[in-house]
Amino acid sequence: MLTVKALPAKFTKSLRKEEATEGATATLCCELSKAVPVEWKKGSETLRAGDRVSLRQDGTVCELEIRDLAVADAGEYSCVCGQERTSATVTVRAPQVVFREPLRSVQAEEGASATLRCELSQPNAAVVWSKGGLELQADGRWEPRQRGYTAELVLWDLRREDAGEYTCACGPQATSAALTVTAAPVRFLRELQAQEVDEGATAHLHCELSQEGASVEWRKDSLQLFPCAKYQMVQEGRAAELWVHRTEQEDAGHYTCDTGHAQSTASLSVRAPRPTFQMELQSMEQEAGSVARLRCQLSEAEPRVPVQWLKEGVELHVSPKYEIRRVGTMCELLIHGLEAKDTGEYVCMASGQKTMASVMVKEPEVTIVRGLEDAEVQVDGEVEFSCEVSRAGATAVEWHLQGLPLQNNEVTELAVRGGRTHTLRLKGVTPEDAGTVSFHVGAHTSSAQLTVRVPDVSILEPLQDVQLSEGQDAHFRCQLSRACSQEARWALGGVPLQANEMNDITVEHGTLHLLTLHKVTLEDAGTISFQMGSCSSEAQLKVTAKNTVVRGLENVDALEGGEALFECQLSRPEVAAHTWLLDDEPVRTSENAEVVYFENGLRHLLLLKNLRPQDSCRVTFLAGDVVTSAFLTVRG
């Protein structure tokens, strides 16, 4: 035999220490004398490939790569191959933070906001903001912000005193820039809004200025306006208003508020008297597929006023779905091919006046296409019932078991397949679940029968024979393989037993059947039988007569050195152990004591010899429940 032993792998090239910057990638490499598996460790922890760690092996070359280095990655790393090991340290340096983008000077108007912004080389680096060499203290008008590499200082509601040089410092690095605050011209915080008023009403044109008490000029088109019976100028705080009283068609046009720096213009429209609806739209309920007709009527004074129809706020146009009619003052909207999505609120508008009504589309009645089928299942098993309806989306659906409604829970699963097939899955079926399963949708119902197969009952622990004395309680037990709803039958000598003051009949855990006969007599001896369905078991009850004392012990006076004989007679031979006691101490046969019984165990004798005065005591005979006692007196 020639046995060739494999040489152990050796490291021909060891690991070398690595030093890298936080966030960079470190690579450790070693080489073996032969290609065999290796294990990488950091300290005593075994490394596994992950999001930042890659373990590669190309033949004899082994490589560990750690990406996006963190300070916690620093330490000693080892490559282990059997008993061989090579180690090296990885050092992680924190990168020096520098300003990649410095602060830039900013100019802003008084009352506005300004943002000073710079960019760092490291995300979320801690910075300190200062103004004129003094660190900024908490103030509700400025807020430092930092998102990734960008650091910002936001100043609101600028004042003249906010102007100056601001500095952002990060460790020893710093960048500065100037903030210039210029006087703000009067501008509009809220512009004029277009107005539409009824003829004869008063129009209110309102705007809000950036400064209180600023002087303004009002114009209509190019004509400057002055206070009079038609025009009223109102100015309070920053608010400036123009009231146009008793408007006429000639008052319609463009009105301007001029601050000298800015202008705000809005249009004023004057509406002619509005028409009214003599007949309003009426809500209706229609079946899907039919045509809905909505009708309303305008006042005769305005037969040609433009009419607009809307559904849920969206304007409707003539199409195969919608037909719009207008005959004199009568307006109609016809909705063809009604669907569920056509349900909603419809509006007819004419010159700002409107009338509305709702259309309710009733879905066709849902019917049952394929009904339930009877099912049979083993106890503790699963069973599924399915019922197919005429259309998808039916919601008024109910499942019942034995007339009781069912809901989703851990043993009942209700589902819908393909939109139209409704399913019921029953889990862990018990014999009590057997009965009628029904599916209800609207006025339609489908039913089926659920049959639960129950395995045959068997006897695991049969009855055992019992032997005892009359007057005692007899206990019998029979263990079944499972609980059964059938009634158990007990009998003694073929006579059925019922639970009463003399007989206790109980069941524990559904499977353990117990019978107790109280204070049995000699007549109770016989065959005890238990039966449930096809299962039965029998046992014998043996009752022996109760033993009694026919002749009890009698007191004995004896002389020192003499003998004493004690005798008792029982009514029948005692099968239990019998004992003689001298002052509660058992008597054993010896040269001074002799125990004898004869006549088939009916007569029992105790002979005590070589008596001494100190032998005086109480003598007792015990046999089962039988006890008799007497006293021995030894005289000198």
Side-chain angles (χ1 to χ4, degrees), residues 43-61:
S44 60
E45 178 188 359
T46 300
L47 296 179
R48 299 284 185 268
D51 293 338
R52 297 190 306 111
V53 178
S54 296
L55 307 178
R56 295 190 290 270
Q57 188 166 357
D58 185 5
T60 61
V61 178

Side-chain angles (χ1 to χ4, degrees), residues 479-497:
Q479 180 81 44
L480 302 181
S481 59
R482 65 169 182 83
C484 184
S485 58
Q486 290 181 289
E487 184 178 358
R489 292 187 298 233
W490 291 91
L492 172 59
V495 178
L497 296 176

Side-chain angles (χ1 to χ4, degrees), residues 114 117 142 184 303 368 478 481 545 547 572:
R117 182 181 295 107
W142 68 270
I368 296 176
C478 186
S481 59
N547 211 347
R572 65 177 182 81

Side-chain angles (χ1 to χ4, degrees), residues 26 43 64 143 146 164 172 182-183 189 207 215 303 307 311 401 413 477 516 537 613:
L64 165 64
E143 176 189 5
Q146 203 156 352
T182 60
L189 300 181
C207 62
S215 61
V307 170
K311 176 183 182 289
L401 175 59
E413 182 180 317
R477 53 185 286 151
T516 300
S537 179

Side-chain angles (χ1 to χ4, degrees), residues 3-12 32-37 60 81-84:
T3 303
V4 181
K5 295 183 179 179
L7 288 174
K10 302 287 186 179
F11 285 100
T12 59
L32 292 161
S33 58
K34 58 192 296 186
V36 291
T60 61
C81 179
Q83 301 298 320
E84 297 297 316

